Amino acid sequence: NAGVMQNPRHLVRRRGQEARLRCSPMKGHSHVYWYRQLPEEGLKFMVYLQKENIIDESGMPKERFSAEFPKEGPSILRIQQVVRGDSAAYFCASSSKQGDTGELFFGEGSRLTVL
Amino acid sequence: AQTVTQSQPEMSVQEAETVTLSCTYDTSENNYYLFWYKQPPSRQMILVIRQEAYKQQNATENRFSVNFQKAAKSFSLKISDSQLGDTAMYFCAFMKHVWGSGGSNYKLTFGKGTLLTVNP
């Protein structure tokens, strides 16, 4: 299966700990997007990355959150010193470098619970 | 900024019947895409149907079709012959096609969703 892979699917952290969420895009895709879904809400855009570059981070909280997409390996969304309000489902999506289909392919999400 | 409004938090329909989910959006853009995504209890986001704004013809995918009214900024989803497996949250989404320094930016704006329950 060459779909978007996210891990872990579920992550539990205590307040103040760090959370790292990983995303491997679909084969051949070099554009990665992170979205956050709070309870009872739609998904909200956080950040858009290409290999080794952050293209648009307008949806990222100013503190504690960071993202990267290294030349080798998955994209990582990192949340430092987590708080209860960070509890949410974090979705990764990818798109192809070329083409104009306007379609994102989503992973199954990583559910973060902060105790 | 774009906004997407889904005015029906919950809807229900009997199996085999037809249901329509509403979506309106606000934008000053002329070139964009509209989507309906389905999120079943498994939580995965599944693309149901997509519409390019420059196309006048309404998109259709098997039992799913849309009524796209560009002037009214309306994009409703019709599900025909509803099945139990259609039970899910349905999200309407808008994408402005932006060409950034690194290429295209497929940034989606989602509505809050409509929970559809198909009853046997």
Side-chain angles (χ1 to χ4, degrees), chain B residues 17-19 63-64 77-82 86 90 116:
Chain B
E17 293 187 347
T18 295
V19 64
R63 298 182 295 107
F64 299 88
L77 174 70
K78 185 171 83 170
I79 306 174
S80 304
D81 186 25
S82 298
D86 295 334
Y90 286 82
L116 175 67

Side-chain angles (χ1 to χ4, degrees), chain A residues 43-67:
Chain A
L43 279 68
K44 291 210 174 356
F45 169 79
M46 298 182 75
V47 62
Y48 161 42
L49 309 105
Q50 294 179 16
K51 288 281 188 181
E52 300 184 282
N53 280 306
I54 297 175
I55 306 302
D56 182 344
E57 56 182 347
S58 58
M60 288 279 270
K62 295 288 183 255
E63 298 178 345
R64 304 187 296 108
F65 284 72
S66 61

Side-chain angles (χ1 to χ4, degrees), chain B residues 70-119:
Chain B
K70 190 173 184 179
K73 296 180 182 174
S74 170
F75 183 61
S76 60
L77 174 70
K78 185 171 83 170
I79 306 174
S80 304
D81 186 25
S82 298
Q83 300 175 0
L84 296 178
D86 295 334
T87 292
M89 282 290 288
Y90 286 82
F91 292 97
C92 178
F94 173 100
M95 176 189 286
K96 179 174 72 169
H97 194 194
V98 177
W99 287 96
S101 58
S104 57
N105 180 346
Y106 298 114
K107 187 157 65 173
L108 284 162
T109 300
F110 284 87
K112 289 193 173 184
T114 296
L115 177 60
L116 175 67
T117 301
V118 180
N119 298 310

Side-chain angles (χ1 to χ4, degrees), chain B residues 27-40:
Chain B
T27 184
S28 58
E29 302 292 327
N30 194 45
N31 294 318
Y32 51 88
Y33 299 95
L34 294 164
F35 303 83
W36 279 97
Y37 278 88
K38 168 185 177 181
Q39 188 178 43

